[in-house]
């Protein structure tokens, strides 16, 4: 096999429009082992991104020794990315948590499950029975557990404790995807399909470095680009990413100006007659308002606001306006940037204006990032209601209460669910007193880390951390619960194109580590949560029973899993809920009784009432939502003259608890860096490889300079490295609609600290 560190994408297998993507099986086994040494292959899918690449785990002598892609799966047709080829080694790491830890003064000491759970339950009881009750609890979970775990946690939170203070790190990740899908189409749920890559004649990548972050999806795109009748490609990204280098048109926009750009593109599409008038008339609402808004964005003004060439904006509009089958993907360059939801909705608008939805090759992927983020959202572990139900719809609450056999008054629907940034704020103010953090490492991944550390160290805050390693966050915990992870537990998860995979247990977890589902079930049992008739609130015991319970909850909703069983998932390929594509009949999920939201003002986030919603006469049409561009909350000034943006490298995953324990990946990207344009560097006396202090109003990190073709005035720091964390610098600010933090736009200054060879 090719060196997949040097070439992350491997060999090309070109194909033409309408053909099936050829398979190619990627495999990696521990040194010295061959396939004949493998005792068994255990089916699962990737846990290090949202692509859902199907693979088998190689087991030898009770240990994971490698992975192999599954050639018949619809998602990856056998391919794996570098993180998946090497990342499994973290499972076997000697420093896995193997026993519960409890706080003894300044130290965390090894303990046992009874002691640790008893501490959690005793504190929970005290708080639940005391003043403030449910308001004292905060649950902050993940996009990396399994569907069964989330559904169980969701029921604990909403019907057991009865608190609205539950969210996932999905708030940092794909809250905007959910918000934009709800706003435009009525509910969450990805309209498009990965097979749209096989049919499209144009691909637009909006703030998505897919080459490095959904590496196998990029292989599919590249294979089309190398075959007959390749699709045209547009990239919108301030950096010269591999995507930008491949694209026919690259718009290196000033960070934070996405909405101005897409408004300008929409205006061109309207003015040059590329709108499908009959589709718009029959299937959408809001066209006249949209035209009124985008009319203020002629190409020259957009070129000015975004700091790109007017001719390139025109070329981009032509590429989009003349395509017959357009596929868009949208990710963090939009979701974590200024006016996130409005900008993501603007991409939806583009597809609606051109009727680019619901047929092969014409689709929009409001991408996910984490492997199981879709499930966090579907099951309501992000604070939404399970089954993509509507918080403001009384009938939906009653429906849930019936399914759970509880009093509807228990379900906390009298206020909107508390978003993650607000949960942290409540902890900071002292109203939340128990914060249960599962499968996320906020001491590296949240903005303004000095503040997060202050909150985590509050003496009045009881912190529970459920993880597989003693992370930067776990060090602040009162109780650390050691979890089993992927390969050591069974469950399902759903990728960014709604493909569900079953991940089977391959090996035992280390020491006393327990599956997350078992931890949540144990808590529910010890808390003795009951239903209306005195029966156990959560009667299920196994992952499959949890899945079946979830199916009853999701039945009749957009994410209806009733046709899916564990047995069917043991077949050759993952299975999509909702079928290949949603909205093939251009009838959308906006019916007032069915939709997930009555809508929000895109500029302010203010929620609309049911009366306001009814007045729009949805009639199962999609909404064209338009908003004006406004500059980001933090823009450069004299003291902080540069714009910092943050993101990822192909070799590392998030806070590196897994990829930082795989030698090949560590060697490929050992430490953080700052990317600078050569002119910005020389202006500040910085040379390639110099140690540089990057400073924002909140902190400083010292990292090596990398001079690249990044746009002038913008610098980039990857956020993976806890020791030099980009989030020491980032600002506490979020999109008003999705509440997703603005990780991509921070004002900073740079200064040389030491030349390349020293320091
Ligand atoms: N290798 C790897 N793959 C991953 C992950 C990982 O950690 N490592 N994480 C997974 C997860 S959870 C996620 S969410 C996805 C994220 O996947 P991506 O969204 O592709 O990753 P990012 O690097 O965060 O951001 C994408 C791009 O946004 C650009 N950008 C910054 N500011 C702006 C702006 O204002 N406008 C525009 N248009 N672009 C801007 C950045 O230059 C960057 O190249 O990746 C998933 N896959
Ligand atoms: N500046 C900046 N900050 C960002 C971003 C950015 O682009 N720029 N991106 C944001 C995004 S999109 C994301 S998704 C977040 C990611 O941020 P985090 O969620 O904090 O990152 P991870 O390192 O994935 O943390 C997951 C944790 O779960 C643990 N874990 C893994 N598997 C299991 C399991 O099976 N069970 C349990 N209990 N624990 C497990 C891991 O050891 C790890 O500690 O970061 C966000 N922060
Ligand atoms: Mo993410």
């Amino acid at each position: 096999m090719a060196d997949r560190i040097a070439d992350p994408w491997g060999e090309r297998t070109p194909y033409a429009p309408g053909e099936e993507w050829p398979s190619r099986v990627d495999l990696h086994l521990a040194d010295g082992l061959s396939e004949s040494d493998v005792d068994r292959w255990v089916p699962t899918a990737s846990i290090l991104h949202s692509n859902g690449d199907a693979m088998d785990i190689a087991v030898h002598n009770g240990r994971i020794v490698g992975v192999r892609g599954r050639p018949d799966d619809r998602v990856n047709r056998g391919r794996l990315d570098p993180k998946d080829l090497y990342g499994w080694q973290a499972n076997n790491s000697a420093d896995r948590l193997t026993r519960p830890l409890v706080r003894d003064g300044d130290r965390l000491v090894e303990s046992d499950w009874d002691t640790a759970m008893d501490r959690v339950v005793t504190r929970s009881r005290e708080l639940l029975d005391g003043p403030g009750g449910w308001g004292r609890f905060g649950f902050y979970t993940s996009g990396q557990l399994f569907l069964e775990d989330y559904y169980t946690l969701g029921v604990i939170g909403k019907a057991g404790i009865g608190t609205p203070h539950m969210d996932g790190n999905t708030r940092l990740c794909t809250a905007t995807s959910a918000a934009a899908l709800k706003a435009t189409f009525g509910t969450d749920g990805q309209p498009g399909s990965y097979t749209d890559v096989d049919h499209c004649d144009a691909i637009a990548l909006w703030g998505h470095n897919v080459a490095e972050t959904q590496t196998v999806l990029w292989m599919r795109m590249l294979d089309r680009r190398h075959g007959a009748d390749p699709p045209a490609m547009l990239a919108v990204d301030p950096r010269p990413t591999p995507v930008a280098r491949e694209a026919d048109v690259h718009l290196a926009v000033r960070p934070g100006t996405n909405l101005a750009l897409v408004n300008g593109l929409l205006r061109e599409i309207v003015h040059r007659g590329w709108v499908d008038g009959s589709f718009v008339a029959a299937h959408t609402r809001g066209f006249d308002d949209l035209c009124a808004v985008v009319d203020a964005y002629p190409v020259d003004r957009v070129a000015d606001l975004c700091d790109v060439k007017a001719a390139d904006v025109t070329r981009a509009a032509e590429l989009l306006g003349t395509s017959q089958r357009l596929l868009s993907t949208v990710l963090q360059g939009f979701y974590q940037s200024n006016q996130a939801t409005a900008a993501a909705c603007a991409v939806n608008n583009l597809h609606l204006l051109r009727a680019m939805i619901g047929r092969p090759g014409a689709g929009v992927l409001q991408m996910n990032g984490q492997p199981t983020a879709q499930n966090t959202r579907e099951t309501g572990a992000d604070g939404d209601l399970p089954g993509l139900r509507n918080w403001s719809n009384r009938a939906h609450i009653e429906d849930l209460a019936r399914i759970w056999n509880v009093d509807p008054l228990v379900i906390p629907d009298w206020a909107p669910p508390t978003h993650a940034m607000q949960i942290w704020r409540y902890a900071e103010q002292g109203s939340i007193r128990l914060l249960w953090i599962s499968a996320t490492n906020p001491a590296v991944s949240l903005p303004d880390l000095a503040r997060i550390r202050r909150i985590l160290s509050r003496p009045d805050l009881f912190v529970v951390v459920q993880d597989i390693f003693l992370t930067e966050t776990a060090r602040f915990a009162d109780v650390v619960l050691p979890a089993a992870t992927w390969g050591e537990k069974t469950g399902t998860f759903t990728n960014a194109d709604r493909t569900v995979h079953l991940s089977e247990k391959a090996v035992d977890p280390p020491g006393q580590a327990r599956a997350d589902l078992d931890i949540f079930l144990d808590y529910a049992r010890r808390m003795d949560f009951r239903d209306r008739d005195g029966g156990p609130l959560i009667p299920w015991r196994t992952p499959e029973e949890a899945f079946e319970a979830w199916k009853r909850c999701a039945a009749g909703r957009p994410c209806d899993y009733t046709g899916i069983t564990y047995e069917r998932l043991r077949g050759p390929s993952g299975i999509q809920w909702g079928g290949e594509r949603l909205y093939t009949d251009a009838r959308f999920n906006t019916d007032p009784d069915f939709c997930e939201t009555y809508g929000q003002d895109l500029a302010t986030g203010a929620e609309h009432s049911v009366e306001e919603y009814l007045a729009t006469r949805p009639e199962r049409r999609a909404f064209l939502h338009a908003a004006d561009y406004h500059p980001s909350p933090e823009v450069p000034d004299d003291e902080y003259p540069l714009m910092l943006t943050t993101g990822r490298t192909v070799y590392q995953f998030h806070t590196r608890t897994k990829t930082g324990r795989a030698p090949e990946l560590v060697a490929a990207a050992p430490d953080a860096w700052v990317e600078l344009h050569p002119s910005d560097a020389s202006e500040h006396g910085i040379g390639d490889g110099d140690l540089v202090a990057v400073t924002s109003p909140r902190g400083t990190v010292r990292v090596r300079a990398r001079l690249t073709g990044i746009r002038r005035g913008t610098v980039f720091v990857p956020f993976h490295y806890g020791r030099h964390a980009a989030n020491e610098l980032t600002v506490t600010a979020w999109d008003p609609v999705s509440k997703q933090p603005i990780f991509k736009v921070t004002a900073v200054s740079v200064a040389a600290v030491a030349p390349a060879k020293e320091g």
Side-chain angles (χ1 to χ4, degrees):
M1 197 177 70
D3 175 354
R4 294 287 299 285
I5 296 291
D7 174 11
W9 306 289
E11 267 169 60
R12 295 282 54 78
T13 49
Y15 69 124
E19 290 179 7
E20 189 175 55
W21 189 27
S23 61
R24 179 193 92 191
V25 175
D26 294 346
L27 162 93
H28 176 69
L29 292 174
D31 275 353
L33 290 185
S34 70
E35 284 181 76
S36 59
D37 297 314
V38 176
D39 305 334
R40 23 178 232 290
W41 294 95
V42 181
T44 179
S46 172
I47 198 78
L48 297 174
H49 49 75
S50 62
N51 217 49
D53 299 331
M55 62 170 103
D56 295 325
I57 293 177
V59 180
H60 177 66
N61 288 343
R63 274 168 80 82
I64 299 180
V65 293
V67 289
R68 176 178 74 184
R70 273 213 304 282
D72 295 331
D73 194 90
R74 65 180 302 280
V75 170
N76 58 324
R77 313 269 297 132
R79 293 163 189 77
L80 294 177
D81 86 358
K83 295 194 307 314
D84 292 319
L85 287 171
Y86 303 111
W88 52 267
Q89 296 171 89
N91 279 57
N92 299 334
S93 185
D95 62 347
R96 283 285 301 275
L97 289 170
T98 56
R99 295 180 61 178
L101 309 176
V102 296
R103 181 154 298 282
D104 176 12
D106 289 344
R107 299 182 313 138
L108 281 167
V109 296
E110 289 200 335
S111 179
D112 54 66
W113 278 102
D114 269 337
T115 310
M117 289 307 284
D118 192 51
R119 286 210 188 178
V120 179
V121 168
T122 304
R123 179 55 69 100
S124 297
R125 282 246 149 273
E126 264 167 38
L127 291 172
L128 201 55
D129 298 341
W134 51 261
R136 298 299 195 190
F137 290 76
F139 292 90
Y140 184 50
T141 188
S142 185
Q144 299 173 44
L145 297 177
F146 292 166
L147 181 153
E148 294 77 1
D149 310 339
Y150 297 133
Y151 182 54
T152 305
L153 179 62
V155 181
I156 289 175
K158 287 179 190 70
I161 309 271
T163 184
H165 306 333
M166 177 181 288
D167 202 357
N169 66 354
T170 46
R171 188 65 57 183
L172 323 180
C173 184
T174 52
T176 303
S177 164
L181 292 170
K182 290 184 210 179
T184 303
F185 305 117
T187 65
D188 194 348
Q190 199 66 260
S193 164
Y194 282 174
T195 55
D196 288 333
V197 177
D198 310 348
H199 299 278
C200 64
D201 67 1
I203 303 178
L205 299 132
W206 308 93
H208 185 192
N209 183 12
V210 57
E212 299 200 61
T213 59
Q214 267 94 7
T215 316
V216 171
L217 182 58
W218 179 241
M219 295 173 200
R220 196 168 191 150
M221 294 175 179
L222 275 187
D223 284 347
R224 276 297 316 279
R225 294 276 291 179
H226 281 72
D229 298 326
M233 190 174 275
L234 166 68
V236 182
D237 194 306
R239 296 188 305 138
T241 61
V243 174
R245 289 197 294 271
E246 172 72 21
D248 303 300
V249 182
H250 172 208
L251 295 170
V253 292
R254 177 184 278 139
T257 62
N258 296 317
L259 183 59
L261 175 73
V262 191
N263 279 349
L265 295 169
L266 290 171
R267 181 182 184 277
E268 278 295 285
I269 281 166
V270 172
H271 279 242
R272 294 179 65 177
W274 288 320
V275 172
D276 183 331
S278 54
F279 183 92
V280 168
H283 301 297
T284 68
R285 292 276 182 229
F287 182 63
D288 293 341
D289 291 344
L290 173 102
C291 290
V293 171
V294 302
D295 218 41
Y297 297 83
V299 168
D300 286 338
R301 178 169 179 233
V302 168
D304 224 40
L305 290 172
C306 303
D307 190 25
V308 290
K309 288 201 194 90
D312 288 343
V313 178
T314 307
R315 283 172 64 215
E318 281 164 0
L319 186 157
L320 299 165
T322 60
S323 66
Q324 301 303 313
R325 291 178 306 282
L326 171 68
L327 172 65
S328 281
T329 75
V330 191
L331 201 47
Q332 300 310 354
F334 270 52
Y335 298 169
Q336 296 174 339
S337 194
N338 182 37
Q339 295 182 287
T341 307
C345 283
V347 176
N348 292 341
N349 294 342
L350 170 70
H351 280 259
L352 291 167
L353 291 190
R354 302 220 55 242
M356 292 290 170
I357 191 149
R359 59 191 164 86
V364 57
L365 293 169
Q366 295 284 352
M367 286 299 295
N368 291 341
Q370 292 177 92
T372 75
Q374 186 65 41
N375 308 111
T376 318
R377 280 149 44 190
E378 290 167 2
T379 61
D382 64 346
D384 281 337
L385 286 180
L388 311 179
R389 288 180 171 82
N390 186 346
W391 268 86
S392 311
N393 184 336
R394 197 62 212 161
H396 286 194
I397 303 282
E398 280 163 12
D399 195 28
L400 267 186
R402 186 184 48 73
I403 293 165
W404 292 338
N405 192 27
V406 296
D407 185 337
L409 291 175
V410 175
I411 302 173
D413 72 323
W414 19 257
T418 315
H419 63 90
M421 299 306 288
Q422 189 62 40
I423 289 178
W424 285 87
R425 179 73 182 132
Y426 286 153
E428 182 172 45
Q429 291 171 323
S431 71
I432 284 182
R433 294 285 174 86
L434 186 155
L435 185 58
W436 188 328
I437 299 168
S438 47
T440 180
N441 189 7
V444 182
S445 57
L446 280 178
D448 191 0
L449 291 180
R451 168 173 176 255
I452 297 307
R453 287 187 294 265
R454 276 199 305 277
I455 298 173
L456 285 169
S457 2
R458 283 181 67 98
D460 63 359
L461 183 67
F462 187 81
V463 178
V464 181
V465 172
Q466 181 172 325
D467 207 289
I468 65 172
F469 293 108
L470 191 66
T471 59
E472 289 86 348
T473 306
R475 292 177 193 285
F476 290 94
D478 294 282
V479 174
V480 179
L481 304 175
T485 187
W486 173 93
E488 302 159 355
K489 62 178 203 178
T490 293
T492 54
F493 51 96
T494 308
N495 81 342
D497 87 335
R498 292 174 282 102
T499 306
V500 186
H501 286 108
L502 175 64
S503 181
E504 307 247 30
K505 176 174 169 176
V507 298
D508 285 327
Q512 299 176 17
R514 272 193 192 169
D516 294 281
L517 177 63
D518 293 335
I519 300 174
F520 293 138
L521 288 175
D522 187 28
Y523 178 70
R525 191 180 52 76
R526 288 173 193 258
M527 290 295 288
D528 198 26
F529 295 129
R530 297 273 157 184
D531 70 11
R532 244 183 163 150
D533 300 322
L537 174 66
I538 300 178
W540 53 89
R541 286 284 161 267
T542 65
E544 190 163 2
E545 287 169 15
F547 186 75
E548 292 299 318
W550 158 247
K551 281 163 64 177
R552 289 190 288 279
C553 178
R557 294 299 302 160
C559 53
D560 189 327
Y561 282 66
T562 44
I564 305 178
T565 58
Y566 270 32
E567 189 175 321
R568 282 193 70 207
L569 291 171
R570 293 194 172 106
S573 174
I575 302 169
Q576 285 173 293
W577 64 250
E580 183 86 65
R581 292 179 186 81
L582 303 186
Y583 313 128
T584 50
D585 57 358
R587 311 253 298 148
F588 298 95
N589 289 344
T590 49
D591 185 275
D593 296 330
F594 193 73
C595 65
E596 198 179 350
T597 171
Y598 296 135
Q600 276 168 286
D601 183 293
L602 284 198
T604 63
E607 303 210 1
H608 295 157
S609 66
V610 62
E611 292 76 19
E612 286 169 303
Y613 188 71
L614 290 172
T616 64
R617 295 185 301 119
E619 294 170 2
R620 299 199 60 185
R621 294 160 187 245
F623 294 108
L624 296 162
H625 286 292
D628 265 308
Y629 161 76
H630 296 286
S632 216
E634 194 164 274
V635 290
D637 57 17
D638 288 348
E639 199 179 346
Y640 301 103
L642 297 170
M643 188 90 93
L644 167 74
T645 194
T646 63
R648 293 162 166 79
T649 161
V650 68
Y651 302 113
Q652 297 295 344
F653 181 68
H654 296 172
T655 74
R656 292 174 72 250
T657 65
K658 289 186 173 174
T659 52
R661 288 174 170 87
E664 296 84 355
L665 300 172
V666 172
D671 208 346
W673 69 89
V674 54
E675 267 175 58
L676 293 143
H677 187 275
S679 316
D680 289 329
S682 72
E683 209 169 286
H684 292 89
I686 295 167
D688 199 36
D690 287 0
L691 190 64
V692 176
V694 186
T695 302
S696 85
R698 292 156 293 276
T700 296
V701 293
R702 287 185 177 73
V703 286
R704 296 276 166 198
R706 247 187 224 182
L707 306 194
T708 71
I710 193 169
R711 47 169 289 119
R712 272 199 79 168
T714 300
V715 302
F716 171 86
V717 178
F719 85 101
H720 305 294
Y721 301 85
R723 266 191 319 137
H724 305 287
N727 283 322
E728 303 291 348
L729 308 172
T730 46
V731 61
T732 302
W734 55 80
D735 178 62
V737 184
S738 67
K739 316 290 194 275
Q740 185 161 346
I742 305 181
F743 289 114
K744 297 278 190 265
V745 201
T746 303
V748 294
S749 63
V750 293
V753 174
K757 30 194 175 314
E758 299 165 30

